[in-house]
């Protein structure tokens, strides 16, 4: 049994172990304070911990005040505190070592921080999918049984690329924060076609400034499926083609789910539902504007192609010859009419 009382401003600590265990703290401690090595401890939950308390004189009594591993010895200069498996959360915060001399009692505190690696890190999404482009969704990272929460950072990943980090103010915490807790962090995403087939994950990182870095604990990966409307990637484009040649028009699109295709010629729907339109022998009637319309349940896109008739070399020659012939005939007719009118005007019968 122990009592703590104050006498003329001096703190007294009295123990019933015997008449020689009467200690005074608060006066005459300069140069007599116990020195603890190391001066602070960062201990893994379930791991060992040890520290040594020393003084430069033979203490009447030296002791460790701790819920686990407490020890007291007389006439010593040092005393070791050791625990094989740290599982008592009451050690979190610290313990103290005291040394008694004829001048009283002097003590030094040993700060202790217990950290605990997460038992499990899991990622959840607010909608199992498929997601829809342009809509917002929540990703939740749950870190189970971790400590301390103020040293925890949640890292978000898309594939292997880091997106952002979340810290203590953004957490929802379940449990006693003086021990291990379950932490939940949330990140909002707006689904895009670039997310299709991408995977998201999160990781829990404890920054304890230990000699060896504490490895991150990674969650499961969630692959995303995103629905989005078609986007034209490429198409045949405007072109000229000779009569009788084969015409092949095509258009390619990026879409999910898979799209359907429809073709129009000068606004009139054509048969066929794939991304290629074929005409084995092109005619004058086939010229004009073709439109490829790509649809799925998310929307549609289209591409237009203007197809013109291209004259072959022999066709140009025929046309030129015909024009020349017509011109010659016109000249002959005009000459004949002119001669006839001239004769009539001169009175020649």
């Amino acid at each position: 049994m122990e009592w703590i009382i104050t006498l003329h401003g001096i703190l007294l600590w009295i123990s019933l172990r015997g008449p020689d265990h009467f200690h005074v703290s608060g006066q005459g401690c300069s140069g007599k304070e116990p020195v603890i090595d190391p001066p602070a401890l960062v201990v893994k939950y379930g791991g060992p911990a040890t520290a040594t308390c020393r003084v430069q004189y033979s203490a009447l009594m030296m002791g460790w005040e701790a819920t686990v591993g407490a020890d007291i010895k007389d006439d010593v200069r040092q005393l070791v505190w050791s625990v094989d498996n740290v599982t008592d959360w009451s050690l979190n915060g610290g313990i103290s070592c005291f040394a008694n001399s004829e001048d009283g009692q002097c003590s030094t505190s040993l700060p202790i921080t217990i950290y605990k690696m997460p038992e499990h890190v899991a990622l959840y999404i607010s909608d199992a999918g498929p997601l829809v482009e342009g809509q917002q969704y929540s990703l939740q990272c749950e870190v189970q049984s971790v400590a301390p929460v103020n040293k925890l950072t949640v890292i978000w990943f898309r594939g292997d690329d880091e997106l952002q980090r979340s810290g203590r103010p953004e957490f929802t915490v379940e449990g006693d924060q003086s021990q291990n807790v379950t932490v939940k962090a949330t990140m909002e995403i707006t689904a895009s076609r670039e997310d299709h087939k991408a995977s998201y994950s999160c990781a829990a990182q404890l920054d304890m400034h230990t000699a060896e870095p504490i490895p991150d604990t990674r969650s499961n990966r969630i692959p995303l499926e995103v629905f989005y409307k078609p986007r034209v990637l490429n198409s045949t484009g405007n072109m000229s083609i000779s009569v009788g040649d084969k015409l092949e028009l095509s258009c390619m699109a990026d879409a999910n789910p898979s799209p359907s295709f429809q073709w129009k010629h000068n606004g009139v729907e054509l048969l066929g539902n794939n991304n290629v339109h074929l005409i084995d022998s092109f005619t004058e009637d086939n010229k004009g504007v073709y439109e490829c319309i790509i649809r799925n349940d998310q929307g549609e896109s289209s591409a237009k192609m203007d197809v013109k008739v291209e004259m072959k070399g022999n066709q140009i020659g025929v046309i030129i010859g015909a024009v020349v012939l017509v011109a010659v005939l016109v000249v002959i007719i005009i000459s004949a009419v002119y001669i006839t009118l001239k004769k009539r005007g001169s009175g020649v019968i």
Side-chain angles (χ1 to χ4, degrees), residues 102-316:
E102 294 178 352
D103 297 324
Q105 183 185 83
C106 300
S107 64
T108 302
S109 296
L110 172 65
I112 297 177
T113 301
I114 302 174
Y115 74 90
K116 187 175 185 296
M117 298 289 291
E119 291 182 1
H120 185 61
V121 179
L123 183 66
Y124 305 95
I125 189 167
S126 58
D127 193 317
L131 311 185
V132 177
E133 184 177 36
Q135 293 190 13
Q136 194 171 61
Y137 301 89
S138 295
L139 295 175
Q140 184 179 84
C141 186
E142 182 175 281
V143 185
Q144 299 174 2
S145 190
V146 65
V149 66
N150 63 320
K151 297 294 185 179
L152 176 67
T153 299
V154 171
I155 309 172
W156 301 91
F157 294 92
R158 181 178 181 272
D160 291 324
D161 297 328
E162 182 180 323
L163 295 177
Q164 66 180 54
R165 297 187 172 215
S166 301
R168 176 64 185 91
E170 302 163 88
F171 295 156
T172 299
V173 181
E174 299 175 359
D176 184 352
Q177 295 189 39
S178 66
Q179 303 182 19
N180 56 316
V181 295
T182 293
V183 172
K184 295 178 181 179
T186 302
M187 183 179 73
E188 302 293 330
I189 64 168
T190 300
S192 68
R193 65 187 64 221
E194 287 74 22
D195 285 324
H196 184 53
K197 295 185 179 179
S199 64
Y200 280 78
S201 62
C202 63
Q205 181 184 74
L206 283 171
D207 187 8
M208 302 303 301
H209 302 291
T210 52
E212 294 293 329
I214 300 173
D216 299 345
T217 305
R218 195 76 169 256
S219 75
N220 55 303
R221 292 176 180 261
I222 295 182
L224 301 186
E225 181 181 10
V226 180
F227 280 175
Y228 50 91
K229 75 175 188 178
R231 178 177 62 187
V232 178
L233 297 178
N234 60 66
S235 61
T236 304
N238 299 334
M239 62 184 300
S240 296
I241 186 171
S242 299
V243 173
D245 286 352
K246 182 179 180 179
L247 174 65
E248 180 175 336
L249 302 175
S250 67
C251 59
M252 299 292 294
D254 174 32
N256 189 46
S258 297
S260 63
F261 295 85
Q262 182 185 47
W263 287 90
K264 289 184 179 181
H265 176 225
N266 294 331
V268 179
E269 291 186 12
L270 302 174
L271 296 178
N273 59 357
N274 55 47
N275 69 309
V276 177
H277 181 68
L278 293 174
I279 297 176
D280 290 332
S281 181
F282 186 76
T283 67
E284 283 278 351
D285 293 338
N286 299 135
K287 68 181 180 181
V289 177
Y290 288 80
E291 183 179 13
C292 174
I293 303 170
I294 311 155
R295 295 190 181 95
N296 64 11
D297 57 11
Q298 299 300 306
E300 69 176 50
S301 296
S302 66
K304 292 184 178 182
M305 294 149 261
D306 189 5
V307 180
K308 297 179 180 180
V309 176
E310 181 182 73
M311 296 295 182
K312 293 183 178 180
N314 58 348
Q315 292 175 321
I316 295 174

Side-chain angles (χ1 to χ4, degrees), residues 332-345:
I332 293 173
I333 292 171
I334 292 174
S335 298
V337 171
Y338 174 75
I339 293 171
T340 301
L341 291 176
K342 187 174 181 181
K343 287 180 178 182
R344 287 180 181 178

Side-chain angles (χ1 to χ4, degrees), residues 39-97:
L41 280 178
V42 176
V43 184
K44 183 178 181 180
Y45 182 83
T50 185
T52 302
C53 182
R54 296 185 178 89
V55 290
Q56 295 180 349
Y57 53 91
S58 181
L60 297 177
M61 183 174 67
M62 180 178 286
W64 283 99
E65 294 181 331
T67 55
V68 179
D71 192 13
I72 295 178
K73 289 186 179 180
D74 296 334
D75 299 322
V76 292
R77 289 176 175 268
Q78 72 175 35
L79 188 63
V80 176
W81 175 77
S82 181
V83 177
D84 292 334
N85 298 288
V86 175
T87 56
D88 186 348
W89 288 101
S90 66
L91 295 175
N92 207 19
I95 58 177
S96 64
C97 172

